[in-house]
Amino acid sequence: MGIVVENVSKQFGSFQAVDQVSLEIKSGSLVALLGPSGSGKSTLLRLIAGLESPDSGKIWLTGKDATHQSVQDRNIGFVFQHYALFKHMTVRKNIAFGLDIRKTSKAQAKARVEELLELVHLKELGDRYPSQLSGGQRQRVALARSLAVAPDVLLLDEPFGALDAKVRKDLRSWLRRLHDEVHVTTVFVTHDQEEAMEVSDEIVVMNQGKVEQIGTPAGIYDHPATPFVMSFIGPVNVLPSTSRMFQGNGFDSAQPEIFLRPHDVVVETTPNGVSVPARVKRVINLGWEVQAELVLDDGQVVTAHLARDRFNELKLAPQQQVYVKPKDARSFPLYYSI
Ligand code: ATP
């Protein structure tokens, strides 16, 4: 196992930031810690790094008990949201920093820096200073610098959080490709579910200091364990189970609420078996798909996502009468609440 976190808790004053968290991260995998602001993701990452010490529990890194090890002894690479590059050093010098501290021979350090410049696609920019780089390029330098010392574990705290949406998207797929080349056990914090889904092998969903669910992106999306996970990982309609929409079509539930993804709302222009009438309130073009806000007979508002082709076929417009039914839906035991 690359990282094992065993029953770890951390309190700040009376606030429980991390609450009895246990998880295992396989060697060589890329795992996202995903959750809303304040859910304890960064604190958990800092506990793994040794930047905070746990009140209780244990942390194992590559099979060794690291709970009381110093940051320096953990052989960890760390990249923060805000570029922590040395302004007065060139890209090459920045990348070589950890190697110089470890007194790596000049020839070895030079070779390693060139290898990393190649890896992060910055070969042409090695002699520039951080101020002469874009935000995305700086984060790639920060990554190269953290990889230089061949860490056992790479920890990334919202590494692309300060970048604009397009650069962020490019860097995500770049990070995935980079990881496929270097295979270092990587944990990265994000509050962006799309980023977590696209980049990681596994996602740890956190809420209020606890782990809500651990699984592959597809596993978590298709089989959310709690209402929180279902709502956080993608858009969802939450409807009373008494809604006519769920009667007689196999979605009857003893639970008060039923959770329905917008793409699981089937929209038709003619009644069809168990479908119920609705009126189109608003149509929003989302690019490759279309969002339709529908009002059921009982006043419930349901959001549906339709592929563009299907939308064109139905020719939906505000005020139009349509018929809807659920394709898939989910309910959760009563003791869970969002
Ligand atoms: P964000 O995405 O906003 O960074 P997060 O999920 O990473 O959120 P943490 O940074 O781990 O959350 O913080 C969890 C909670 O612990 C927050 O309420 C925060 O205010 C609190 N906290 C974190 N560090 C400290 C500290 N050093 N002293 C006091 N409270 C802290």
Side-chain angles (χ1 to χ4, degrees), residues 159-204:
F160 311 136
L163 306 172
D164 72 52
K166 169 78 173 74
V167 178
R168 212 181 150 117
K169 234 176 170 334
D170 290 348
L171 281 186
R172 269 184 217 170
S173 45
W174 170 81
L175 176 64
R176 184 65 237 187
R177 289 196 302 276
L178 177 80
H179 184 265
D180 291 341
E181 278 184 55
V182 295
H183 289 297
V184 56
T185 309
T186 303
V187 185
F188 92 103
V189 162
T190 180
H191 60 263
D192 179 336
Q193 52 88 15
E194 203 180 296
E195 186 163 285
M197 301 275 283
E198 184 176 328
V199 172
S200 47
D201 298 313
E202 283 207 305
I203 300 176
V204 177

Side-chain angles (χ1 to χ4, degrees), residues 11-13 15-18 35-46 52 81 157-158 189-191 206:
Q11 235 173 331
F12 293 113
F15 183 79
Q16 194 72 50
V18 171
S37 183
S39 56
K41 314 176 293 288
S42 296
T43 304
L44 181 57
L45 199 76
R46 292 170 62 81
E52 300 282 357
Q81 176 172 346
D157 194 352
E158 298 262 9
V189 162
T190 180
H191 60 263
M206 293 193 64

